[in-house]
Amino acid sequence: MKGRFIVFEGIDGAGKSTQIEKLRQKLVNEGRRVFITAEPTASVTGGILRDALSGNYARTASELAAMFLSDRVFHNVNPNTGIKQALEKGFDVVSDRYYYSSFAYQGLDSDINWVIDMNLNCPDIRKPDLCIFLDLDADKSKERIDTNRATVEIFEHSSLLDKIRRKFFDVFSMLKDENIEIIDASGTVDEVALKIAAAVDKLPKEE
């Protein structure tokens, strides 16, 4: 059985964690093996990134983009927890964030073409089989963040969330050859899950 690489994207508060778990349950019920992963990773670089995103240590957009690139290479090639080894073992890999987030977030304040080029032209960074973008307006997203989280990261403010959401759409318009499904995330959990399931069901299931 061939593993598929599926990425979830969206502004903070769009419901990625909830929908990833719903998709995991669906795939397991179909007899598939699933490997759930996320960026930043558990690497040393990932720890530095989480520290920066929490606002504990200021980093420029270019620094963040370069560190995410390094962490993403690790994410792909790590022999124990990497995307490559999981796919080769027949697991469906589902990642909470990937290079699309770098393009949208770091693309706000750095050269977006540079950020895109260094990711897409890196031989160790794999293109996903499917990117699912959970689309939610910034005010609703911020409402969910304030309800469910005790602390707020540096990008989790309404005005910035709106800019990032619009940047994602700019990015998608630049990536014509990528398989990207935009899902309205404003419905109920089950309504959104059904739309995601329909998108995933279009992917090949066998070699």
Side-chain angles (χ1 to χ4, degrees):
M1 185 179 289
K2 182 181 180 181
R4 289 90 53 89
F5 180 25
I6 302 166
V7 169
F8 276 74
E9 291 283 8
I11 61 174
D12 298 280
K16 296 188 307 301
S17 297
T18 299
Q19 292 301 332
I20 286 171
E21 175 57 22
K22 293 286 286 186
L23 179 60
R24 186 196 68 79
Q25 293 171 5
K26 164 189 159 56
L27 295 174
V28 169
N29 289 340
E30 292 173 353
R32 301 190 70 89
R33 295 184 296 167
V34 184
F35 179 70
I36 304 297
T37 186
E39 293 187 355
T41 71
S43 72
V44 173
T45 305
I48 295 171
L49 282 164
R50 284 189 294 276
D51 196 45
L53 294 172
S54 297
N56 295 328
Y57 193 93
R59 300 279 184 176
T60 69
S62 294
E63 281 183 291
L64 288 172
M67 286 192 291
F68 269 113
L69 177 74
S70 176
D71 190 47
R72 192 161 294 126
V73 170
F74 172 88
H75 195 192
N76 274 268
V77 305
N78 182 274
N80 298 313
T81 59
I83 293 165
K84 182 176 183 290
Q85 62 86 28
L87 290 171
E88 289 175 350
K89 291 179 180 178
F91 285 83
D92 285 337
V93 176
V94 181
S95 182
D96 184 345
R97 297 204 180 281
Y98 200 54
Y99 53 56
Y100 310 93
S101 282
S102 287
F103 304 162
Y105 284 78
Q106 281 72 66
L108 282 176
D109 297 308
S110 186
D111 183 336
I112 189 170
N113 291 309
W114 170 69
V115 181
I116 290 174
D117 286 346
M118 70 178 180
N119 278 273
L120 297 188
N121 292 324
C122 177
D124 287 324
I125 292 180
R126 178 182 299 264
K127 180 188 294 186
D129 295 299
L130 172 64
C131 170
I132 295 168
F133 179 73
L134 298 180
D135 185 31
L136 191 67
D137 71 64
D139 289 339
K140 182 63 176 178
S141 173
K142 188 65 168 68
E143 179 183 321
R144 290 182 181 180
I145 291 168
D146 291 342
T147 300
N148 298 315
R149 301 185 194 174
T151 59
V152 176
E153 291 189 345
I154 59 174
F155 293 109
E156 295 177 343
H157 302 278
S158 291
S159 60
L160 194 51
L161 287 168
D162 185 57
K163 290 180 182 178
I164 294 165
R165 176 176 177 264
R166 285 186 276 113
K167 198 68 173 181
F168 266 114
F169 282 97
D170 290 342
V171 166
F172 297 152
S173 70
M174 299 168 71
L175 302 177
K176 300 296 187 183
D177 62 340
E178 300 250 352
N179 185 14
I180 298 166
E181 289 276 351
I182 298 171
I183 305 290
D184 182 355
S186 63
T188 68
V189 169
D190 288 341
E191 287 170 345
V192 176
L194 283 173
K195 295 175 183 177
I196 292 168
V200 172
D201 285 344
K202 296 176 188 177
L203 293 174
K205 292 182 171 61
E206 304 294 339
E207 288 279 5

